[in-house]
Short mmCIF file of all heavy atoms in Angstrom, two decimals:
data_model
loop_
_atom_site.label_atom_id
_atom_site.label_comp_id
_atom_site.label_asym_id
_atom_site.label_seq_id
_atom_site.Cartn_x
_atom_site.Cartn_y
_atom_site.Cartn_z
N SER N 53 96.17 139.54 91.72
CA SER N 53 96.41 138.34 92.52
C SER N 53 97.58 137.53 91.96
O SER N 53 97.87 137.56 90.77
CB SER N 53 95.15 137.49 92.60
OG SER N 53 94.80 137.08 91.31
N LEU N 54 98.21 136.83 92.87
CA LEU N 54 99.40 136.05 92.55
C LEU N 54 99.06 134.57 92.70
O LEU N 54 98.43 134.18 93.69
CB LEU N 54 100.51 136.42 93.55
CG LEU N 54 101.76 135.56 93.58
CD1 LEU N 54 102.72 136.00 92.48
CD2 LEU N 54 102.45 135.66 94.94
N VAL N 55 99.45 133.75 91.73
CA VAL N 55 99.21 132.31 91.86
C VAL N 55 100.54 131.56 91.72
O VAL N 55 101.24 131.69 90.71
CB VAL N 55 98.21 131.79 90.81
CG1 VAL N 55 98.03 130.27 90.95
CG2 VAL N 55 96.85 132.48 90.94
N VAL N 80 97.79 132.87 100.92
CA VAL N 80 96.88 131.77 101.27
C VAL N 80 97.40 130.44 100.72
O VAL N 80 97.84 130.36 99.57
CB VAL N 80 95.47 132.07 100.70
CG1 VAL N 80 94.51 130.92 100.97
CG2 VAL N 80 94.93 133.37 101.28
N ILE N 82 96.52 126.61 99.68
CA ILE N 82 95.40 125.71 99.36
C ILE N 82 95.95 124.32 99.02
O ILE N 82 96.69 124.14 98.04
CB ILE N 82 94.54 126.26 98.19
CG1 ILE N 82 93.97 127.64 98.58
CG2 ILE N 82 93.39 125.29 97.85
CD1 ILE N 82 93.25 128.37 97.46
N ARG N 160 87.03 123.34 89.38
CA ARG N 160 86.16 124.53 89.39
C ARG N 160 86.23 125.21 90.76
O ARG N 160 86.42 126.43 90.87
CB ARG N 160 84.72 124.10 89.08
CG ARG N 160 83.75 125.22 88.82
CD ARG N 160 82.31 124.73 88.72
NE ARG N 160 81.79 124.22 89.97
CZ ARG N 160 81.41 124.97 91.00
NH1 ARG N 160 81.45 126.27 90.89
NH2 ARG N 160 80.97 124.43 92.13
N GLN N 161 86.13 124.40 91.82
CA GLN N 161 86.17 124.96 93.18
C GLN N 161 87.54 125.57 93.50
O GLN N 161 87.64 126.58 94.18
CB GLN N 161 85.83 123.89 94.21
CG GLN N 161 84.39 123.41 94.11
CD GLN N 161 83.96 122.58 95.32
OE1 GLN N 161 84.57 122.62 96.38
NE2 GLN N 161 82.90 121.82 95.15
N GLN N 162 88.60 124.92 93.01
CA GLN N 162 89.96 125.43 93.28
C GLN N 162 90.16 126.80 92.64
O GLN N 162 90.71 127.71 93.24
CB GLN N 162 91.01 124.41 92.76
CG GLN N 162 91.09 123.19 93.66
CD GLN N 162 91.55 121.93 92.94
OE1 GLN N 162 92.09 121.97 91.85
NE2 GLN N 162 91.31 120.78 93.57
N ARG N 163 89.66 126.94 91.42
CA ARG N 163 89.79 128.24 90.74
C ARG N 163 89.00 129.31 91.49
O ARG N 163 89.43 130.44 91.63
CB ARG N 163 89.30 128.13 89.30
CG ARG N 163 90.25 127.31 88.44
CD ARG N 163 89.75 127.22 87.01
NE ARG N 163 90.65 126.40 86.22
CZ ARG N 163 90.27 125.62 85.22
NH1 ARG N 163 89.00 125.54 84.89
NH2 ARG N 163 91.16 124.91 84.56
N LYS N 164 87.84 128.90 92.00
CA LYS N 164 86.98 129.83 92.72
C LYS N 164 87.64 130.26 94.05
O LYS N 164 87.63 131.43 94.41
CB LYS N 164 85.64 129.17 92.97
CG LYS N 164 84.54 130.13 93.24
CD LYS N 164 83.18 129.54 92.87
CE LYS N 164 82.11 130.60 92.91
NZ LYS N 164 81.88 131.20 94.17
N LEU N 165 88.24 129.27 94.73
CA LEU N 165 88.87 129.56 96.02
C LEU N 165 89.99 130.59 95.87
O LEU N 165 90.26 131.36 96.79
CB LEU N 165 89.48 128.28 96.62
CG LEU N 165 88.54 127.32 97.35
CD1 LEU N 165 89.27 126.02 97.68
CD2 LEU N 165 88.02 127.95 98.64
N ALA N 166 90.65 130.57 94.71
CA ALA N 166 91.81 131.45 94.51
C ALA N 166 91.43 132.85 94.01
O ALA N 166 92.28 133.75 94.00
CB ALA N 166 92.76 130.80 93.52
N GLU N 167 90.16 133.02 93.63
CA GLU N 167 89.74 134.28 93.02
C GLU N 167 90.10 135.51 93.86
O GLU N 167 89.73 135.57 95.04
CB GLU N 167 88.22 134.28 92.80
CG GLU N 167 87.82 133.92 91.39
CD GLU N 167 86.32 133.72 91.25
OE1 GLU N 167 85.54 134.29 92.02
OE2 GLU N 167 85.96 132.94 90.35
N GLY N 168 90.81 136.41 93.27
CA GLY N 168 91.12 137.68 93.93
C GLY N 168 92.14 137.58 95.07
O GLY N 168 92.38 138.55 95.78
N LEU N 169 92.73 136.39 95.28
CA LEU N 169 93.67 136.23 96.40
C LEU N 169 95.08 135.95 95.88
O LEU N 169 95.26 135.52 94.75
CB LEU N 169 93.26 135.04 97.28
CG LEU N 169 91.89 135.09 97.95
CD1 LEU N 169 91.61 133.76 98.64
CD2 LEU N 169 91.85 136.23 98.96
N ASP N 170 96.07 136.14 96.75
CA ASP N 170 97.43 135.68 96.48
C ASP N 170 97.52 134.28 97.08
O ASP N 170 97.34 134.12 98.30
CB ASP N 170 98.46 136.59 97.16
CG ASP N 170 98.50 137.97 96.51
OD1 ASP N 170 98.06 138.09 95.35
OD2 ASP N 170 98.96 138.91 97.17
N VAL N 171 97.74 133.27 96.25
CA VAL N 171 97.71 131.89 96.76
C VAL N 171 98.92 131.08 96.34
O VAL N 171 99.54 131.32 95.30
CB VAL N 171 96.45 131.11 96.29
CG1 VAL N 171 95.17 131.77 96.76
CG2 VAL N 171 96.43 130.92 94.79
N ILE N 172 99.21 130.08 97.18
CA ILE N 172 100.11 129.01 96.78
C ILE N 172 99.27 127.75 96.86
O ILE N 172 98.64 127.48 97.88
CB ILE N 172 101.40 128.98 97.64
CG1 ILE N 172 102.33 127.86 97.17
CG2 ILE N 172 101.11 128.85 99.12
CD1 ILE N 172 103.78 128.04 97.64
N MET N 173 99.18 127.04 95.74
CA MET N 173 98.29 125.88 95.68
C MET N 173 99.11 124.65 95.31
O MET N 173 99.89 124.69 94.37
CB MET N 173 97.22 126.15 94.61
CG MET N 173 96.09 125.15 94.63
SD MET N 173 94.80 125.52 93.41
CE MET N 173 93.84 126.76 94.21
N VAL N 182 94.78 123.22 86.49
CA VAL N 182 94.01 124.19 87.28
C VAL N 182 94.44 125.62 86.92
O VAL N 182 93.60 126.46 86.62
CB VAL N 182 94.16 123.93 88.80
CG1 VAL N 182 93.25 124.87 89.59
CG2 VAL N 182 93.84 122.48 89.15
N PHE N 183 95.75 125.85 86.97
CA PHE N 183 96.28 127.17 86.61
C PHE N 183 97.46 127.04 85.64
O PHE N 183 98.61 127.26 86.03
CB PHE N 183 96.72 127.93 87.87
CG PHE N 183 95.58 128.43 88.69
CD1 PHE N 183 95.33 127.90 89.95
CD2 PHE N 183 94.72 129.41 88.21
CE1 PHE N 183 94.26 128.35 90.72
CE2 PHE N 183 93.65 129.86 88.96
CZ PHE N 183 93.41 129.33 90.21
#
Side-chain angles (χ1 to χ4, degrees):
S53 62
L54 169 83
V55 178
V80 177
I82 301 173
R160 190 188 67 75
Q161 293 193 19
Q162 286 153 17
R163 289 180 182 147
K164 201 154 190 298
L165 280 171
E167 261 171 26
L169 299 174
D170 291 339
V171 299
I172 181 161
M173 191 178 279
V182 185
F183 287 112

